[in-house]
C-alpha cells in the first residue's frame, strides 16, 4: 500500500485517478462482477481484496455459513455465494449495500445483505467462516468513505471489534483477517490479547513490493 499510495500521490496521476473514479467502476474476479461506487472502498487500487479472494478460492466453503464483516463492494461475498456458501454481507455504508444488492440480483446470487456496525445486528448468529478486511490507518475518519480506511487515532475500530468478536468464536469456525505491513501489527495484536484473542499468521503474500499477512483469529 505504501508504494501504491506514493505513486497515486503524483499530482498528475492523482488528478487523473480522481476523474476516473468520479463515477462507478466495474471490478471482477473469476466471473463475478461488481459496480463500485466512488464512496465505497475500491478493490481496483488495493491489494487486500484480491489476496483475500485468492485465499478464499482454496477454502472449502460450499454450504457453509459465511460472513463478510464490512463487505464494501461485496465482491468477496458474491464470490463466496458462487462457491455455494450461505453468505451474509454487512456494512455501515448504505450505498455499498445498495450496489451489492443490485449486483447479486443481476447475477442470480443469493446473499443476505444488511446494515450492521461490526456485530451490532448479528447477535445470536453463528458462522462457519468470518472474513474481515479492516481499516487500519490510525486517524479519525471524517465521513463514511474514510471509515473504510481509518480505524481511529486510538484504534477504536479494533478495540470494538475485539470486544465483540469472542461471542462469535466457536471451537470449529474460521475467522480470517488481513493486515498490511503498513499498519502497526503489534498494536493490533496486543489489543486482541486484551480480549483473550490471538492472531495466528496463516499466510504471507508479497505483491508490488508490499507484504500482506492473512491471520486466523482464535481464542486463547
Amino acid at each position: 500500500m505504501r508504494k501504491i499510495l506514493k505513486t497515486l500521490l503524483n499530482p498528475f496521476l492523482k488528478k487523473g485517478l480522481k476523474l476516473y473514479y468520479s463515477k462507478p467502476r466495474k471490478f471482477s474476479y473469476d466471473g463475478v462482477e461488481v459496480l463500485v461506487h466512488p464512496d465505497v472502498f475500491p478493490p481496483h487500487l488495493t491489494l487486500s481484496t484480491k489476496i483475500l479472494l485468492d485465499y478464499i478460492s482454496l477454502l472449502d466453503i460450499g454450504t457453509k455459513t459465511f460472513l463478510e464483516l464490512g463487505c464494501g463492494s461485496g465482491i468477496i461475498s458474491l464470490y463466496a455465494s458462487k462457491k455455494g456458501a450461505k453468505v451474509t454481507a454487512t456494512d455501515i455504508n448504505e450505498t455499498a449495500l445498495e450496489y451489492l444488492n443490485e449486483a447479486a440480483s443481476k447475477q442470480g446470487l443469493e446473499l443476505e445483505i444488511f446494515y450492521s456496525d461490526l456485530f451490532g445486528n448479528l447477535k445470536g448468529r453463528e458462522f462457519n467462516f468470518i472474513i474481515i478486511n479492516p481499516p487500519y490507518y490510525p486517524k479519525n475518519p471524517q465521513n463514511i468513505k474514510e471509515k473504510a480506511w481509518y480505524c481511529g487515532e486510538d484504534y477504536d475500530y479494533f478495540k470494538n471489534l475485539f470486544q465483540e468478536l469472542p461471542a462469535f468464536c466457536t471451537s470449529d469456525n474460521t475467522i480470517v483477517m488481513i493486515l498490511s505491513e503498513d499498519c502497526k501489527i503489534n498494536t493490533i495484536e496486543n489489543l486482541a490479547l486484551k480480549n483473550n484473542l490471538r492472531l495466528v499468521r496463516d499466510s504471507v503474500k508479497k505483491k508490488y513490493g508490499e507484504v500482506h499477512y492473512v491471520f486466523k483469529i482464535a481464542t486463547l
Side-chain angles (χ1 to χ4, degrees), residues 129-148:
F129 291 91
I130 299 174
I131 306 298
I132 308 169
N133 187 359
Y136 50 71
Y137 290 110
K139 176 182 173 181
N140 292 329
Q142 300 301 309
N143 52 53
I144 193 68
K145 183 176 182 178
E146 289 191 356
K147 286 188 175 183

Side-chain angles (χ1 to χ4, degrees), residues 9 12 19 48 51 59 75 83 154 164 173 201 215:
L9 289 175
F12 297 103
L19 179 62
S48 57
I51 291 171
L59 299 179
I75 187 72
K83 287 195 68 177
D154 295 323
E164 298 179 20
N173 71 349
R201 190 176 298 177
F215 294 93

Side-chain angles (χ1 to χ4, degrees), residues 79-128:
Y79 178 63
S81 178
K82 180 184 176 182
K83 287 195 68 177
K86 300 175 182 178
V87 178
T88 299
T90 67
D91 207 287
I92 58 172
N93 188 327
E94 298 279 9
T95 300
L97 299 176
E98 177 185 341
Y99 271 61
L100 175 55
N101 188 61
E102 291 179 5
S105 178
K106 286 180 179 178
Q107 294 167 90
L109 295 171
E110 187 174 345
L111 306 178
E112 182 183 28
I113 303 168
F114 59 89
Y115 177 97
S116 184
D117 189 352
L118 293 177
F119 292 95
N121 291 329
L122 294 165
K123 300 293 172 55
R125 302 282 296 273
E126 291 187 1
F127 300 95
N128 299 122

Side-chain angles (χ1 to χ4, degrees), residues 56 58-62 64 83 129:
I56 292 166
L58 303 176
L59 299 179
D60 180 15
I61 61 173
K64 305 292 180 60
K83 287 195 68 177
F129 291 91

Side-chain angles (χ1 to χ4, degrees), residues 1 4 27-32 41-58 68 71 73-76 79 131 133 178 203 205-208 212 214:
M1 180 70 72
I4 291 176
F27 181 81
S28 62
Y29 180 87
D30 195 22
V32 177
F41 183 81
H44 321 73
L45 300 179
T46 57
L47 302 174
S48 57
T49 301
K50 176 62 164 54
I51 291 171
L52 279 176
L53 285 163
D54 290 343
Y55 181 90
I56 292 166
S57 72
L58 303 176
E68 185 182 9
C71 62
S73 71
I75 187 72
I76 289 174
Y79 178 63
I131 306 298
N133 187 359
I178 188 168
S203 71
K205 297 293 181 181
K206 185 174 182 179
K207 285 192 174 185
Y208 307 116
H212 281 80
V214 177

